[in-house]
Amino acid sequence: MEKEYVVLSTISKRQVIWRRIKLFGLVLICVVLATIKWATFMPTDVDVSLKIGLVFLFCITFAWISLFFWSSLFGFWEILRHRKMPGIKRVPEETKLSTKTAILMPVYNEDPTSVYANLLAMARDLSATGQGEAFDFFVLSDTTKPQVWVQEEALWLQTKKLFPKEINLYYRHRPKNTARKSGNIEDFCMRWGAKYDYMVVLDADSLMTGKTVVKMAQFMEVNTTTGIIQAPPMIINRHTFFARVQQFAGRVYGPIVSAGLAYWQVWDSNYWGHNAIIRTRAFMECCGLPVFPGQAPFGGHILSHDFVEAALIRRGGWLAWMLPELKGSYEECPPTMLDFVIRDRRWCQGNLQHLRILFSRKLHPVSRLHFTLGIMSYLSSPLWFLFLFLGLGIALWREFFPPEYFTDTKTLFPTWPVFDLIGTLVLFLLSMGMLFIPKILGGLVVLIQHRPLKEFGGFFGLMKTLIVEFIFSALIAPIMMLFQSKIVLDILLGLDAGWNAQNRDETGTPWLVAIRRHFWHTVIGIGVSVIVYLYANSLFYWTLPITLGLIFSIPLSVWSSRESVGEWAKRHKLFIIPEEYQKPDILVKAEQAGAELQQVAPKEKGVDLLKMNPVYQAMHVYMLSVNGPEPDFEMKTIRSVAQKIQGYAQSGELVLTPDEEKYCLYHPEILHELSLLHIINTPAVTA
């Protein structure tokens, strides 16, 4: 059966093509005109090959800016018209679900209390809709830290007691986290996927309202050719200054970006890896991911698997939607600049792996475009850096080596090098304007459609925030450009990013760490400022937007990581969002669930808990048979465990390394022996 375009009732394929022609036509016109102007504005005495290189770099970087600008403009127009996504069928909210959906929470060394609190809040919210029986929850653990593993199991038991009776909560731990998150989801599909019509994939910090999850399942039921529906997540629940800036930007600018993407993508949308519902059959039919030959970073398992899964589902004929109208979808963001860069490092490696997929057979053209935009989101930084470096180099070259007005060729008039400074500045201001205007449009949407404005800090608070956000973004932009340029260089040199759990603590960046990470940023900023001031003084003030951020990168990184600075901003009505002014009900439920779980969570961890509590030990041993074969352990670890158990029998003290503790957790006979020794070593309490 042909799957494509069957359900489309309010928009035709021709209309979708016309939308894309309008958007990319405007982008093309802007790029062509600006590139021609740039070519004519450049100094005439520049070497031809260098001029071609600069024109090429300008064309690529300006195309990136232009696409962002026009997409945001179309998104702004869609929001003003209050338009929902055309082409997808809808049903009344009270429509009863006849299908079964699995809600999946893949975790990797995360805080179990926070994870289960979010799941408990979502389950209670789903139960309140009256459709809780249509959903099951799964915690899919790839955790490698033994103490966190045992804590996950213990809290699973406690959370299950608090779960609504009609909703099941399951837990599974993988001994080997092959292929990371994508392998985790694949393992679920192979074991239990056939039992469920759909699956909602979450991240460890994801939070979704029951109403939103039910609506997504209803969409999937009535739109039978749909493979993916992505709900754009809103960033909430962070308090450092850096995170508050990200929250505000996501809340104010995010909607027009999402609406712009949805405008031209329509049913060819992308998948962001979480807060989305997927048709299980489509995923299992289409999404067997390749393992690239060779070593990381370009070889091995795909890190950014979400783009690939969307492309494969689309290649299979299923539709993929991103619906900005779906509210009630939340996530958190990295609390500091350095945490943001660490996450970016992993994403960059995954996106650059897509170079090996870009020209695969039978991919939809829009899927290829998604890959290209993902790759360019990181390559644009080194391209910008190279463009600025060459431009500054030309300016300094002219200072050190003035042009020759009378060459060896005998002419009647001297050779006057031509350089249109005014035209160059106009292009620069145009580029900055195209980056800044979408921010203004986001602010206009708030002013036009949102009441009361006190939820954004009031009118003056909103205006102040827009200005401060633009200044802060401009200051950190060159820092991020250098970070991303180094990341790309590291990957091209073959350095693997690995996969570590994301830091979610708002403890702030220590000064020594900031000095170590930003030292060269500061040196480059000071060096460029001094050289330009001494040898190209006319450019000094024009380079300040770049050099100031680099010079002050260390204090910017430290201060923006502080929760106290975020609280100061809040007191001064800066970066206020409605979800902070009045917490969403689902967030309140998550906080209440977290408090409940804190009270029942066992204080002991790892092997200490299992040797003291026979219930948790029995549960852990029972689960081992479901988890799969144990990993391989080194002989020295096995011998060391035997020696320490012998010492525990004599002294009553047991201190295990993580590997030793993990070995014990895979061997029930050892846990049983430790329980007996614990009883023997524990003094009897007499009345």
Side-chain angles (χ1 to χ4, degrees):
M1 162 183 161
E2 178 64 25
K3 301 185 184 73
E4 293 199 60
Y5 314 124
V6 174
V7 301
L8 305 179
S9 57
T10 59
I11 190 170
S12 67
K13 185 176 180 180
R14 176 177 294 182
Q15 289 173 308
V16 173
I17 293 173
W18 175 237
R19 285 183 172 203
R20 293 167 183 171
I21 290 174
K22 284 191 293 184
L23 173 69
F24 290 100
L26 288 168
V27 172
L28 181 62
I29 291 170
C30 280
V31 172
V32 169
L33 292 178
T35 303
I36 291 173
K37 287 296 182 183
W38 170 243
T40 59
F41 294 159
M42 288 177 61
T44 55
D45 59 336
V46 172
D47 181 75
V48 174
S49 59
L50 184 57
K51 182 180 289 189
I52 292 173
L54 282 168
V55 169
F56 172 77
L57 290 172
F58 177 84
C59 179
I60 296 296
T61 51
F62 191 80
W64 189 249
I65 294 172
S66 185
L67 178 60
F68 168 72
F69 170 77
W70 286 111
S71 181
S72 299
L73 204 62
F74 279 103
F76 172 71
W77 181 240
E78 291 293 295
I79 290 176
L80 286 187
R81 297 167 69 185
H82 297 277
R83 289 190 56 171
K84 293 184 177 181
M85 174 65 74
I88 188 167
K89 290 182 181 178
R90 293 168 175 82
V91 295
E93 288 185 4
E94 63 273 10
T95 302
K96 198 70 176 175
L97 292 170
S98 60
T99 52
K100 195 74 172 176
T101 300
I103 298 179
L104 311 182
M105 174 68 85
V107 293
Y108 177 71
N109 296 325
E110 300 286 351
D111 173 26
T113 304
S114 176
V115 168
Y116 284 109
N118 284 1
L119 294 182
L120 181 55
M122 290 179 62
R124 287 171 171 172
D125 215 39
L126 275 171
S127 181
T129 67
Q131 306 224 46
E133 70 279 355
F135 300 89
D136 284 342
F137 283 71
F138 285 78
V139 176
L140 306 175
S141 174
D142 265 356
T143 291
T144 57
K145 296 179 179 179
Q147 293 195 350
V148 178
W149 172 16
V150 173
Q151 193 179 7
E152 287 173 356
E153 292 180 341
L155 275 176
W156 167 75
L157 184 62
Q158 297 298 335
T159 307
K160 192 171 176 62
K161 296 176 184 177
L162 300 172
F163 243 56
K165 300 302 181 185
E166 72 274 19
I167 304 177
N168 293 312
L169 173 64
Y170 300 104
Y171 174 86
R172 187 271 289 131
H173 177 265
R174 270 203 312 170
K176 296 181 180 179
N177 57 338
T178 305
R180 303 176 178 89
K181 184 176 179 179
S182 63
N184 206 347
I185 301 299
E186 180 183 353
D187 181 81
F188 164 81
C189 290
M190 292 176 64
R191 293 181 183 225
W192 306 289
K195 296 177 61 177
Y196 296 93
D197 300 282
Y198 321 119
M199 55 184 183
V200 174
V201 181
L202 305 174
D203 259 358
D205 57 1
S206 294
L207 195 59
M208 300 183 74
T209 64
K211 181 179 177 181
T212 299
V213 175
V214 168
K215 187 179 293 186
M216 293 167 75
Q218 290 171 336
F219 277 142
M220 294 297 275
E221 280 193 359
V222 71
N223 295 277
T224 56
T225 61
T226 290
I228 296 178
I229 296 176
Q230 175 71 61
M234 194 69 64
I235 302 173
I236 61 168
N237 207 30
R238 284 301 190 187
H239 308 288
T240 67
F241 184 83
F242 180 85
R244 291 179 65 82
V245 173
Q246 305 307 309
Q247 285 178 174
F248 177 84
R251 187 63 175 81
V252 176
Y253 315 141
I256 66 169
V257 173
S258 297
L261 291 173
Y263 173 80
W264 63 268
Q265 292 175 1
V266 194
W267 55 69
D268 297 320
S269 188
N270 212 346
Y271 166 44
W272 299 351
H274 57 92
N275 293 40
I277 190 168
I278 303 174
R279 190 176 300 272
T280 312
R281 175 191 158 198
F283 190 88
M284 294 175 68
E285 284 180 353
C286 305
C287 293
L289 296 180
V291 179
F292 294 137
Q295 298 296 316
F298 289 101
H301 295 282
I302 299 173
L303 294 187
S304 294
H305 54 89
D306 40 10
F307 280 40
V308 182
E309 289 159 350
L312 293 176
I313 283 179
R314 198 63 195 88
R315 185 173 71 174
W318 302 92
L319 306 182
W321 303 85
M322 192 269 289
L323 300 182
E325 67 194 69
L326 285 173
K327 310 301 181 182
S329 172
Y330 304 104
E331 65 173 341
E332 296 177 355
C333 68
T336 72
M337 189 189 307
L338 295 183
D339 290 318
F340 189 92
V341 170
I342 291 171
R343 188 184 68 174
D344 245 18
R345 174 66 175 82
R346 188 174 67 242
W347 285 5
C348 178
Q349 181 171 325
N351 283 18
L352 293 185
Q353 282 181 310
H354 295 163
L355 287 165
R356 303 186 69 164
I357 307 172
L358 185 58
F359 301 104
S360 299
R361 292 183 301 166
K362 298 182 180 180
L363 289 181
H364 193 283
V366 176
S367 297
R368 298 188 197 277
L369 182 58
H370 289 319
F371 287 139
T372 303
L373 294 177
I375 293 166
M376 279 303 302
S377 65
Y378 291 99
L379 289 184
S380 60
S381 286
L383 291 177
W384 264 112
F385 177 74
L386 186 58
F387 177 75
L388 294 172
F389 177 79
L390 291 176
L392 183 60
I394 290 173
L396 293 173
W397 181 269
R398 292 173 67 89
E399 293 295 327
F400 287 110
F401 302 97
E404 295 184 17
Y405 299 101
F406 297 95
T407 62
D408 294 336
T409 305
K410 300 193 180 299
T411 58
L412 184 61
F413 300 101
T415 302
W416 295 102
V418 177
F419 172 52
D420 191 340
L421 178 61
I422 301 299
T424 301
L425 295 180
V426 168
L427 273 182
F428 172 78
L429 294 175
L430 175 65
S431 300
M432 294 301 101
M434 293 178 78
L435 287 172
F436 185 55
I437 287 173
K439 296 177 182 286
I440 297 177
L441 298 180
L444 282 176
V445 167
V446 172
L447 290 173
I448 294 171
Q449 295 188 350
H450 197 93
R451 292 293 183 274
L453 278 179
K454 63 182 179 181
E455 293 186 352
F456 283 93
F459 176 80
F460 292 107
L462 177 63
M463 294 298 103
K464 287 190 299 182
T465 302
L466 289 171
I467 295 170
V468 175
E469 192 278 335
F470 178 74
I471 294 172
F472 182 75
S473 298
L475 288 173
I476 69 170
I479 304 172
M480 299 306 298
M481 176 185 68
L482 289 185
F483 265 132
Q484 291 183 347
S485 298
K486 184 180 184 302
I487 287 170
V488 172
L489 180 61
D490 287 345
I491 292 171
L492 294 177
L493 292 175
L495 299 178
D496 181 21
W499 190 280
N500 297 312
Q502 182 175 309
N503 175 44
R504 305 187 193 278
D505 296 328
E506 297 187 299
T507 53
T509 301
W511 281 98
L512 288 178
V513 173
I515 291 170
R516 187 172 68 251
R517 296 297 303 276
H518 295 285
F519 175 77
W520 286 109
H521 300 158
T522 308
V523 170
I524 291 171
I526 294 174
V528 170
S529 294
V530 171
I531 291 171
V532 171
Y533 183 80
L534 293 177
Y535 301 106
N537 190 262
S538 60
L539 297 177
F540 177 75
Y541 293 102
W542 291 99
T543 58
L544 281 181
I546 298 172
T547 56
L548 276 180
L550 295 175
I551 292 171
F552 294 104
S553 58
I554 294 172
L556 275 173
S557 184
V558 172
W559 292 336
S560 67
S561 74
R562 296 287 189 259
E563 197 171 345
S564 58
V565 180
E567 290 299 320
W568 174 88
K570 182 179 179 180
R571 289 196 302 272
H572 289 79
K573 307 295 184 183
L574 293 172
F575 303 105
I576 306 293
I577 59 174
E579 289 76 13
E580 182 179 37
Y581 185 85
Q582 183 174 0
K583 287 184 179 180
D585 185 55
I586 189 68
L587 181 57
V588 174
K589 288 182 178 179
E591 292 175 349
Q592 292 172 347
E596 290 179 60
L597 292 176
Q598 288 282 7
Q599 292 179 351
V600 297
K603 295 181 174 58
E604 297 79 13
K605 297 181 180 180
V607 169
D608 284 342
L609 174 62
L610 300 189
K611 74 183 183 184
M612 296 170 62
N613 191 306
V615 174
Y616 289 134
Q617 183 183 139
M619 179 183 65
H620 172 81
V621 170
Y622 178 78
M623 286 184 172
L624 286 178
S625 61
V626 180
N627 293 340
E630 67 177 271
D632 297 326
F633 291 95
E634 295 182 359
M635 186 55 66
K636 66 177 183 180
T637 300
I638 300 173
R639 292 194 184 110
S640 178
V641 168
Q643 292 172 358
K644 289 187 177 181
I645 291 176
Q646 189 176 14
Y648 179 52
Q650 298 171 355
S651 67
E653 294 184 4
L654 181 66
V655 179
L656 300 170
T657 67
D659 283 342
E660 292 166 353
E661 192 161 10
K662 189 183 295 185
Y663 177 78
C664 293
L665 292 178
Y666 277 105
H667 292 83
E669 70 280 2
I670 293 179
L671 295 175
H672 181 64
E673 182 180 0
L674 289 173
S675 294
L676 294 176
L677 292 174
H678 171 70
I679 295 172
I680 294 171
N681 290 329
T682 302
V685 178
T686 58

